Amino acid sequence: MLSAKEHSLSYPDVDKGGALMKCIMAPIIKWKKQWILIVIVALSLVVFYLMSALKLSNVTIFSQKFEIQEQHSYSVWPDFKKNSPVDSVFFKSMCVSNAEYSITGLVDIKKQWAKSKNRYCQALYDKFASIFTITARKAQLSIPEPFKPKVKGWLANNEELFNEVYNQDVIHIISEFTHEHTIFNPLRDKRPVSPPKESEESYFNTMLKESAESCDFCKFKDFTAEHTFGRVESKHAFSASNIFKVDTLHAILALKKHDPIHWNLEEFLDLFELVNTWIAKANHNYSKARFPGVIWDVLPKCGASQVHPHLHVVLDFERHHGVQETWRRGAQEYYSIHKSNYFSDLVDIYTALNLTVKYGSAVAFASLVPKKDHEVVVISENPDTDFYTLLFFVLRGFIDDLHKMCFSLGIGLPALNTREGRLPAYARVITRGYITDIRADMSSLELYLATNVNIDPYKTIEVVRDSVRQRDTTGTA
């Protein structure tokens, strides 16, 4: 075997070849190093660009979030005012020449109002047109001969009503700031309504007696929970902590009597004074909780879990709940355009359209975009005695005069310790049909499309006016 030296001597061209390879590879290696350096520099620039873009993106996202937050922030609105400079008498004489106050007549009122040259009329019209979109549509159909007797039967064989079926008026009203959409078909309101087979009074009395035997609220000290900061109690009412909560501060405020509909003004005012007391106590113990809301359903037909009369009260830390916050945001959007209080202007519009009743510091109006039948809104700057008294008159009119035992009610109250986006005190109440009727009065139409209402708001406001006239013993109205 040859040694390394011998091997090298035996192949003299190997060294020459190695030197040659080195000569060849040297510039290649140098070239590669240059390209590697170029690639590294290029990659560095790409990374720098991406980091800059990401940083810019984050700034943009933050900016967008900030803008959204700004959109949802609230201004200090002008104080709510219930007195309008344009009442219905002025409106009829100066704004429209021939006003027919009805849901179908609103279409003609709007046309005349738009042409008014009076500056007050025009200024109010601009606000009206900004808030409400009103559209009248015709709905036509044909009826097969075999089907006609049944349709006539639904209309109590009234030939005039039957002829209206072929060419119906359908009114769509949209509230552009609260995004509520209500559809009226006046023909549906004209249909004769057959009374239930079983007397509502008999049904109610049986329900009242049977439910009293096992009612937890009738023995509230033993069978209702308390908040950790305790109860509040008054002559006619008490508070409890709801067992199955929808928020940290979720209370039940109930009358001590079991009957859900036969309460007088003293009992009613005592109950709502206790609502204010509970809210104040809850806020004292949770100082950051400041957005109150109240709901009340009466009788199982409209969702009440127990026959005994009871309200649900919540006090939220961040905002009003649901629809109440929608109204608040709508009012803020309105303020950003008109620089005025949305609720004050709303009262001005309803007053001009002859849809209001006033009582002391409070005013009630029949809504043009009701959630369901007979919706009335009671509104005041603060939840004072006038506010709750007018609400009492509305409810007694529904129960005693219209004989509507079932109602649903929601109350939005001013936020505590803040002036930004301050709601006035307002209550919304609707009737819910016969307590004996197994059919639901709400469906996917109301849940997922628009609300269908059969009652003309002008009929509803007359019920409220009559109730105030009958029950106001102080002459406040």
Side-chain angles (χ1 to χ4, degrees), residues 407-428:
F407 64 82
S408 289
L409 179 152
I411 300 176
L413 296 172
L416 308 177
N417 307 319
T418 183
R419 294 194 63 210
E420 288 81 4
R422 185 180 186 274
L423 290 175
Y426 74 88
R428 304 176 67 182

Side-chain angles (χ1 to χ4, degrees), residues 272 275-276 279 290-294 313-315 320 324 328 380-384 387-388 410-416 421-427:
F272 282 98
V275 169
N276 294 340
I279 290 171
R290 54 183 181 155
F291 298 99
V294 182
V313 186
V314 295
L315 190 64
H320 291 281
Q324 293 174 4
R328 188 175 177 227
S380 181
E381 185 175 6
N382 296 297
D384 55 18
F387 172 75
Y388 286 118
I411 300 176
L413 296 172
L416 308 177
R422 185 180 186 274
L423 290 175
Y426 74 88

